[in-house]
Amino acid sequence: PGAGCAQVHQGGLLQTSEVQASALALVQTRVVTVSASTMNGDDVPPAVGQSPAFADHSPPPPAKVEGPGDEPPMRVGRLTKFVVKNPGIVSCAIFLLTVILSASGIFAIIATSEDALDAIGFGEYRVQGDPLTLQNAAFSEVVADRFVPGDDEDDEDDEDDPDDPNRRELVRSQRVDSLTIVYEDLGDDENMLTEEHVADIVRVEGALLDTRWDEFCRLEYKEGKDKVKKDPDASKDARCASPNSILQYLFEGKKAHKKQCEEGYCFLSKDSLGSCGTFIDWGTFPCRSKVYSWRDGELAKKSNWGKILKEQLCDDSFSRDFILDKEAVCKKAISKHLRSSYTLGGPLSGFKNTDEEGQSQIGGVLGTADSYGTEMAAAMSSSVDEVSATSSRARTYVSMPSGDKDVNVLYFSFTTGRIFETLLSDTYLASASVVFVFCYIWSNVGSLFLAFAGIFEIIASLPLALFFWRVVLQQTKVEILQFLTVYLILCIGSDDIFVFMDSWKESKTAGPRVSDSIETRLVFTYKQAVNAMFTTTMTTVLSLVTTSFSSIPAISTFGIFAALVVIWDFLLVCSWFPAMVVFYATYIERASCSKWCCACFPCCRVSPEPEAGEKPEERRIVVWLRETLAPLIFRYRYACIAVAMVGVISMGATFGALFKLAEDLPNNFVPENPSSVFNDIQDDSFFVPEDWKYQVSVAYGLDVEEPITYQPDGQISPTTDRESELRFVPLNLNKNLQEKLVKDCNRARRDEDLVSKKESYCLLNDLKEWAGDDFPFEDEAELRKGLDKFYDSSEYSWLTANFSDYTTKTGFVADGDEGIKVYFVSYNTTIPPEANSGPNVLLPYFNQWEAYAEDCATDCFHMTTGGEGPASWVLFRIFQQLFREVGITVVASLLLAFVVLVMTTRNWIVSIYVVFTILCIIVCVFGSVVSRGFEIGVQECIYIALTIGLSVDYAVHLTHFYVHATGTRFERTQEAMSKILISILGGATTTAVAALPLFACVQTFLYLYGFFILFTSLWSFLLSILLLVPLLMTIGPEGDQGTFKSCADFLGQRGVKICQDTPAAEEPARSSGYPHNNANEQTHRSDSTTNP
């Protein structure tokens, strides 16, 4: 009986009784062996590298007879014949179609974008459709549309509107960028205020001033000319603004301060200079020049530095907090860190304002090659390298003295283009992944031609996905996260190539039924490889598609685009790559020129042709996997499972112990990078202004759930210029509601848990205090009249002069001349300045304001609107949504993977094993991430889909081949390992190779991406070998276990004939009729393998 439906074979009788007796003895021996091992409850494979005990006296196989039991010839379809006959035509057609579609997608993006940056989206992380997100957007429009007194008057001061594209600004009067320099003493003294270190500071900042600084610095104008915008000579007497630097104080120049103050460049007006030089020394604030340069003075004696700092610097809290660190001692002139700042100005001469295009000579990311930024960067680089232990272009921070250099000088400015250089260098490193993967594919497939074909297939899937993204889905921007799919497809694409090539190589030794012609080899390869690739592609795509349902556009766009890339790669590996393999086998592999080229390139191998009548030799690695590694794992299968579970439990415990939700957005650079240290020193070592507070604004008159609506633009990641409309709710500000709104403000003021020191911006409360008994007004029309009078009063002028941004913190949106659509107020809150946006920190404050809003006089909502820190309701909701979606994504991906596996393998037992393995992989990857010190934040949540997508491949490959094999658990696992483990090893190696260059990147999202890729591949490979393989050998399904036999029986009772596999115990050890076995393999197994 075969492995299909039970059939009765007629004919084919054995020729001799001796052969019958020998065959019967062999069967009896095997039955006894299997029965004994079954009774003992254990399977005993042959010893590693040894033949079974009965191999020496095994009888010869029965003589081959012709009859109906012989395998029919392999069927070759018309398409296969056409591809084999015309591989060049097929590959050229696919190549041209790929080029046309790719070019169409690229040109479509270029045609609709003003420049390269316009086509790139930098990620929209706000939760779409969420009330908090809508409320934030609505409040921004409310502030923009608020009633401003005098808006309807024709006043030249309208030119001061910062949003007016036609406004006029004085030449270089606006700050466009600044060069910030941080100095750190690495010596034991921990003091930058020494003569040696000050000399280093002079060298660095002097090099900056020796450039064309005077042509690009921000200008200070003489008193009286700072408002003259139409005077062409207004900038004639303007001078460079003073920098913020310790040198401004250590280099004394009282005469220069006096002269410049008298010329009109003083912090005091000319009319108030009488006290300067008598009660207040020149050079001491406010008798200090705005344009004084330390080069105008002389360095004071070291013994006087403490006195100078105490009198001139430390009494000015702003300058002290900026220049000296927190632990500085002014009297003793001690400070471990120092900070300086030099400001560049705009617009340049000949331009109306800083927004006008054409000012690239300043420099920056998109500045011209001969821009001033290039000159400034060269000067800074040269001077810093002379004195700093950490060089100007170092990618790793040096925390110890280096030779005679015991100072670190760290600086940053967009104008220098350093950020662009960092991005470019990381791009080069990332590109190295492609080169490394190409070299490994070349080594693995043994052909330079096929290596180029494979890497083209991988890379081409990106522009093809871009075509679908832009032309079909009509998406106008490519988000920055979508570029990360390059590394994803390098891993998945190379894995598919290895699966196809290993099946192709196997077809050569699969017996004459398969290896007789290229047509039959292609049919065999296609059936075996494509089925395996389809399963992994479906599980990967579905896990990526789960992220497309995210309410955060940056994540959903990444998932959709990555899924498109994986689909296109699958289509190309099933069409383009087979045609190229056939072309190579037909025209190149045996050509004399190929052999000559292979002499020059050892990685290009041409396998020798067997002699006539000789069977092709199996690859040594296949034999080693089947005859050595598989029995070895079987022998120690329980130990392997124990080791794997100990690893999983250990990483799970690590994850549980070190798990921490991120409370802020991730840093741009890895911790060891000088740019990251530069930011850390400024945050930790220097004072943060203590006089600012987080502010929460409350708005009345808008729909709470959906205060703003947008016109749909068909974009997954919405654009910022969408048409929008506020949704108003009638306020009807009668006398009663006016009083209630005043009470709302008073209620918040009295609540010490909400508002800090009763600090509030409430227009109606201030109006009531001014109007007295006239408040409340009869109706909205009378209220508007009262507000108009209040705006003209000295009381309102005092409020706007003494409270920063008073007009933007409280006010209203007018409804014609007599009505009010929206009324809003603001409060200084009790949220601490050091607070971040994580749920653990902000949730208590958010809940308090939610409770306050529920008791408002009418429908209202609250929104964080002020503060110099990162705390924000919008970011808070992003973190909440991310953490919520993480669990949903993991569960959904695992369920979808299980469904796909059940459908493709038709076995729910192995599907459970795979899902369990994937879950263990996820636990181990996240344990590795937190052990490195990363918190679970925005980027980590995004990469979860990547983890699931990559972790399924190896386990799915193994189980796919397991369920298609025959025999006992060991034999089925053994066959699966021999057929696919080479591809798995190649895929894992390629993934690691692709990830390694990313570890040299300094941008956090690239470094972390490489970390996820590497450890996902590492844990996937290890757990597939040490956990899944031993599980299959120990408790893997046999025969009908885990299949849908019950359904088949149900249909069979109703006359539907269903073929079922016979149980493993009733199967012969090997059947020559199994399509995946070849004659050579059958003979080899009969000589060296027994049934465990």
Side-chain angles (χ1 to χ4, degrees):
C5 297
Q7 298 179 6
V8 178
H9 294 265
Q10 302 293 333
L13 298 177
L14 299 179
Q15 300 298 315
T16 64
S17 59
E18 291 80 7
V19 173
Q20 288 178 325
S22 300
L24 180 59
L26 174 60
V27 172
Q28 290 174 342
T29 302
R30 294 205 173 197
V31 170
V32 171
T33 303
V34 172
S35 300
S37 61
T38 303
M39 292 174 62
N40 294 333
D42 200 3
D43 293 336
V44 184
V48 178
Q50 298 180 4
S51 299
F54 63 86
D56 294 335
H57 55 270
S58 297
K64 181 180 179 181
V65 293
E66 301 296 334
D70 288 25
E71 290 184 277
M74 187 169 287
R75 182 178 179 276
V76 180
R78 295 180 181 179
L79 181 60
T80 302
K81 293 179 179 179
F82 181 82
V83 172
V84 172
K85 186 177 181 181
N86 307 286
I89 295 176
V90 173
S91 57
C92 287
I94 297 174
F95 176 81
L96 290 175
L97 181 62
T98 301
V99 170
I100 292 172
L101 294 180
S102 301
S104 300
I106 294 173
F107 289 150
I109 289 180
I110 294 175
T112 55
S113 305
E114 296 181 0
D115 52 48
L117 285 180
D118 186 53
I120 298 176
F122 292 93
E124 174 58 71
Y125 289 94
R126 288 176 296 184
V127 182
Q128 298 303 297
D130 180 72
L132 277 179
T133 304
L134 298 175
Q135 290 165 7
N136 182 73
F139 190 82
S140 298
E141 292 210 13
V142 165
V143 174
D145 297 342
R146 73 188 186 281
F147 176 81
V148 178
D151 266 357
D152 55 345
E153 299 177 8
D154 185 13
D155 194 333
E156 289 186 358
D157 286 344
D158 287 347
E159 294 183 345
D160 291 333
D161 183 4
D163 297 325
D164 183 5
N166 296 315
R167 69 187 185 281
R168 302 193 68 86
E169 296 170 339
L170 290 169
V171 175
R172 286 157 53 198
S173 63
Q174 308 297 314
R175 176 191 177 279
V176 295
D177 192 17
S178 63
L179 173 68
T180 302
I181 311 170
V182 170
Y183 303 93
E184 179 186 25
D185 180 24
L186 301 176
D188 297 332
D189 296 337
E190 295 188 346
N191 184 21
M192 281 298 303
L193 290 171
T194 65
E195 291 179 326
E196 181 183 3
H197 292 340
V198 169
D200 293 336
I201 298 174
V202 169
R203 184 179 305 176
V204 172
E205 298 183 16
L208 172 66
L209 296 179
D210 288 337
T211 62
R212 292 179 293 159
W213 177 254
D214 290 344
E215 300 178 23
F216 294 94
C217 62
R218 185 179 69 83
L219 297 178
E220 283 287 352
Y221 285 76
K222 277 187 178 181
E223 184 180 342
K225 286 194 174 183
D226 55 347
K227 296 294 183 183
V228 185
K229 299 190 176 183
K230 296 184 180 179
D231 183 0
D233 297 327
S235 61
K236 184 177 180 180
D237 297 325
R239 300 183 187 180
C240 287
S242 299
N244 283 324
S245 171
I246 192 65
L247 301 181
Q248 290 289 109
Y249 300 91
L250 299 184
F251 281 77
E252 292 187 297
K254 294 183 178 181
K255 292 182 180 180
H257 279 291
K258 178 180 179 181
K259 179 182 178 182
Q260 292 165 3
C261 280
E262 291 174 345
E263 291 175 351
Y265 297 104
C266 200
F267 282 96
L268 283 176
S269 64
K270 288 183 179 180
D271 299 335
S272 305
L273 295 178
S275 59
C276 296
T278 55
F279 299 103
I280 305 175
D281 288 340
W282 291 106
T284 302
F285 185 84
C287 300
R288 188 173 183 83
S289 169
K290 295 180 180 179
V291 296
Y292 174 75
S293 172
W294 55 269
R295 282 190 165 183
D296 298 335
E298 294 183 358
L299 182 63
K301 294 181 179 180
K302 175 67 171 66
S303 58
N304 293 334
W305 287 5
K307 179 181 178 182
I308 293 172
L309 295 181
K310 178 68 176 67
E311 294 178 353
Q312 298 186 14
L313 176 61
C314 294
D315 287 342
D316 181 359
S317 60
F318 175 80
S319 298
R320 181 212 180 281
D321 291 344
F322 182 86
I323 294 174
L324 304 178
D325 66 21
K326 294 178 181 179
E327 307 298 329
V329 182
C330 289
K331 291 182 180 180
K332 297 182 179 180
I334 296 176
S335 183
K336 180 180 179 180
H337 301 91
L338 293 174
R339 180 166 57 179
S340 300
S341 176
Y342 289 75
T343 308
L344 292 101
L348 298 180
S349 180
F351 295 90
K352 289 187 299 184
N353 53 59
T354 53
D355 294 336
E356 191 171 356
E357 296 181 357
Q359 303 179 66
S360 60
Q361 63 265 39
I362 295 178
V365 175
L366 297 179
T368 56
D370 59 346
S371 65
Y372 174 66
T374 304
E375 179 183 346
M376 185 167 69
M380 289 298 298
S381 178
S382 175
S383 60
V384 167
D385 290 346
E386 293 178 4
V387 301
S388 178
T390 301
S391 65
S392 59
R393 300 185 183 277
R395 298 175 68 85
T396 304
Y397 171 77
V398 178
S399 60
M400 302 290 290
S402 177
D404 59 345
K405 300 175 182 178
D406 58 353
V407 171
N408 264 336
V409 183
L410 309 174
Y411 67 94
F412 178 79
S413 171
F414 283 104
T415 303
T416 61
R418 289 191 69 192
I419 185 66
F420 179 70
E421 292 179 2
T422 301
L423 296 175
L424 196 61
S425 61
D426 278 2
T427 302
Y428 291 149
L429 286 170
S431 301
S433 298
V434 180
V435 178
F436 291 168
V437 170
F438 168 78
C439 293
Y440 187 81
I441 292 176
W442 180 12
S443 173
N444 186 281
V445 303
S447 165
L448 184 63
F449 176 83
L450 292 181
F452 275 114
I455 205 69
F456 170 80
E457 166 244 311
I458 294 172
I459 300 301
S461 60
L462 294 164
L464 286 173
L466 188 64
F467 162 79
F468 198 91
W469 179 261
R470 178 63 187 89
V471 178
V472 179
L473 298 181
Q474 292 293 302
Q475 302 301 303
T476 58
K477 289 186 180 294
V478 180
E479 299 294 330
I480 194 71
L481 280 177
Q482 293 175 218
F483 289 97
L484 296 179
T485 54
V486 174
Y487 310 100
L488 177 65
I489 203 58
L490 281 175
C491 305
I492 295 176
S494 58
D495 179 67
D496 289 345
I497 290 173
F498 296 148
V499 171
F500 188 92
M501 285 303 300
D502 286 335
S503 295
W504 175 258
K505 293 173 182 178
E506 182 187 347
S507 69
K508 195 170 185 178
T509 61
R513 178 173 178 266
V514 173
S515 61
D516 277 352
S517 67
I518 293 180
E519 291 179 348
T520 53
R521 290 184 64 188
L522 183 60
V523 171
F524 172 87
T525 302
Y526 211 84
K527 286 183 177 179
Q528 179 168 286
V530 173
N531 287 339
M533 291 187 295
F534 176 78
T535 304
T536 56
T537 299
M538 283 298 297
T539 51
T540 302
V541 167
L542 288 177
S543 66
L544 291 170
V545 167
T546 57
T547 64
S548 67
F549 296 100
S550 172
S551 56
I552 299 176
I555 299 178
S556 59
T557 54
F558 171 79
I560 294 173
F561 188 79
L564 290 174
V565 172
V566 174
I567 291 172
W568 276 109
D569 175 78
F570 175 74
L571 294 177
L572 287 175
V573 82
C574 294
S575 56
W576 155 268
F577 194 70
M580 297 301 288
V581 169
V582 172
F583 185 88
Y584 172 78
T586 305
Y587 300 106
I588 298 178
E589 188 174 18
R590 300 302 166 191
S592 57
C593 62
S594 175
K595 297 179 181 179
W596 181 84
C597 291
C598 292
C600 301
F601 299 99
C603 290
C604 178
R605 303 183 298 271
V606 177
S607 55
E609 283 285 352
E611 299 293 336
E614 181 184 355
K615 295 179 181 179
E617 182 182 357
E618 275 192 300
R619 289 180 292 169
R620 293 180 180 178
I621 183 65
V622 175
V623 176
W624 181 83
L625 290 173
R626 185 178 61 237
E627 308 301 339
T628 302
L629 182 60
L632 181 65
I633 293 178
F634 182 85
R635 173 175 295 179
Y636 300 105
R637 59 193 182 280
Y638 298 116
C640 289
I641 294 174
V643 169
M645 291 310 301
V646 167
V648 172
I649 294 172
S650 299
M651 297 311 297
T654 302
F655 179 67
L658 301 179
F659 171 77
K660 184 179 179 182
L661 294 177
E663 298 290 339
D664 199 359
L665 293 176
N667 292 325
N668 292 325
F669 303 100
V670 296
E672 300 82 6
N673 184 255
S675 296
S676 183
V677 177
F678 173 83
N679 293 328
D680 291 341
I681 290 177
Q682 294 200 88
D683 293 339
D684 300 335
S685 299
F686 290 92
F687 275 106
V688 176
E690 297 180 352
D691 58 347
W692 66 268
K693 298 180 178 67
Y694 283 112
Q695 293 166 346
V696 167
S697 297
V698 179
Y700 304 84
L702 288 170
D703 185 271
V704 175
E705 294 298 324
E706 193 177 10
I708 188 172
T709 57
Y710 293 97
Q711 291 293 332
D713 58 2
Q715 300 300 301
I716 300 172
S717 184
T719 56
T720 57
D721 56 352
R722 289 182 297 169
E723 294 185 8
S724 61
E725 182 180 357
L726 293 174
R727 295 186 61 190
F728 300 101
V729 176
L731 266 180
N732 189 20
L733 280 167
N734 52 37
K735 296 175 66 173
N736 184 41
L737 184 56
Q738 293 174 38
E739 286 287 6
K740 288 183 177 180
L741 292 177
V742 170
K743 290 180 180 179
D744 276 356
C745 182
N746 291 332
R747 177 165 58 92
R749 285 173 173 174
R750 291 191 300 266
D751 192 337
E752 296 180 356
D753 293 332
L754 284 179
V755 179
S756 173
K757 300 177 182 179
K758 299 183 179 181
E759 297 172 356
S760 61
Y761 301 80
C762 299
L763 179 62
L764 290 185
N765 292 64
D766 295 330
L767 173 63
K768 178 180 180 179
E769 185 176 346
W770 174 79
D773 294 338
D774 292 336
F775 188 91
F777 296 91
E778 191 66 32
D779 52 29
E780 279 190 10
E782 293 300 319
L783 176 61
R784 284 291 306 274
K785 293 178 182 180
L787 285 170
D788 290 340
K789 293 178 181 179
F790 178 56
Y791 284 145
D792 293 333
S793 67
S794 59
E795 178 72 16
Y796 183 78
S797 300
W798 183 87
L799 287 170
T800 57
N802 288 274
F803 295 94
S804 58
D805 300 326
Y806 181 87
T807 58
T808 62
K809 300 303 179 185
T810 183
F812 64 92
V813 175
D815 186 6
D817 294 332
E818 298 183 348
I820 294 177
K821 293 181 179 179
V822 180
Y823 171 64
F824 63 95
V825 296
S826 300
Y827 305 93
N828 287 343
T829 71
T830 55
I831 301 173
E834 65 274 10
N836 293 317
S837 294
N840 292 338
V841 174
L842 279 194
L843 184 59
Y845 300 98
F846 177 80
N847 289 337
Q848 290 173 359
W849 280 101
E850 282 284 277
Y852 170 82
E854 290 178 359
D855 296 331
C856 282
T858 184
D859 289 344
C860 71
F861 63 80
H862 55 94
M863 179 56 54
T864 49
T865 54
E868 300 180 18
S872 162
W873 289 167
V874 174
L875 285 178
F876 160 75
R877 182 50 54 85
I878 290 174
F879 282 113
Q880 270 192 330
Q881 190 67 18
L882 274 172
F883 301 149
R884 186 183 301 118
E885 290 181 354
V886 165
I888 296 175
T889 300
V890 171
V891 173
S893 298
L894 291 176
L895 289 176
L896 288 173
F898 178 77
V899 172
V900 172
L901 289 168
V902 170
M903 293 175 61
T904 53
T905 64
R906 299 179 183 178
N907 193 300
W908 59 268
I909 294 180
V910 295
S911 300
I912 290 177
Y913 294 167
V914 172
V915 171
F916 174 72
T917 304
I918 296 172
L919 186 59
C920 292
I921 293 169
I922 294 173
V923 170
C924 291
V925 170
F926 271 80
S928 303
V929 170
V930 297
S931 65
R932 174 61 177 81
F934 290 108
E935 299 175 344
I936 304 302
V938 175
Q939 294 174 347
E940 290 81 359
C941 293
I942 293 173
Y943 297 155
I944 285 178
L946 167 70
T947 303
I948 300 173
L950 288 179
S951 62
V952 301
D953 285 6
Y954 308 152
V956 170
H957 281 323
L958 281 169
T959 54
H960 173 84
F961 281 87
Y962 178 90
V963 298
H964 285 85
T966 57
T968 62
R969 297 184 180 105
F970 171 77
E971 287 182 320
R972 299 174 78 174
T973 309
Q974 184 185 42
E975 182 172 335
M977 291 177 63
S978 66
K979 288 179 178 294
I980 198 60
L981 202 56
I982 303 174
S983 303
I984 291 176
L985 179 61
T989 305
T990 307
T991 304
V993 166
L996 287 177
L998 299 182
F999 280 86
C1001 295
V1002 299
Q1003 296 177 80
T1004 304
F1005 83 99
L1006 285 176
Y1007 177 87
L1008 186 60
Y1009 195 72
F1011 194 91
F1012 263 85
I1013 289 177
L1014 178 63
F1015 279 91
T1016 300
S1017 174
L1018 176 64
W1019 284 112
S1020 297
F1021 181 77
L1022 290 177
L1023 292 180
S1024 296
I1025 301 302
L1026 297 179
L1027 180 60
L1028 181 60
V1029 167
L1031 280 176
L1032 293 176
M1033 287 181 173
T1034 306
I1035 53 175
E1038 291 184 302
D1040 296 327
Q1041 293 177 351
T1043 64
F1044 302 107
K1045 186 176 183 300
S1046 58
C1047 296
D1049 292 341
F1050 176 80
L1051 294 175
Q1053 294 173 2
R1054 285 155 178 77
V1056 181
K1057 189 175 182 180
I1058 302 296
C1059 295
Q1060 295 295 329
D1061 294 339
T1062 55
E1066 299 175 12
E1067 292 180 4
R1070 287 290 164 188
S1071 171
S1072 61
Y1074 182 62
H1076 293 309
N1077 293 342
N1078 55 73
N1080 180 65
E1081 180 182 357
Q1082 181 186 354
T1083 304
H1084 186 86
R1085 288 177 185 271
S1086 65
D1087 293 339
S1088 62
T1089 307
T1090 186
N1091 185 339

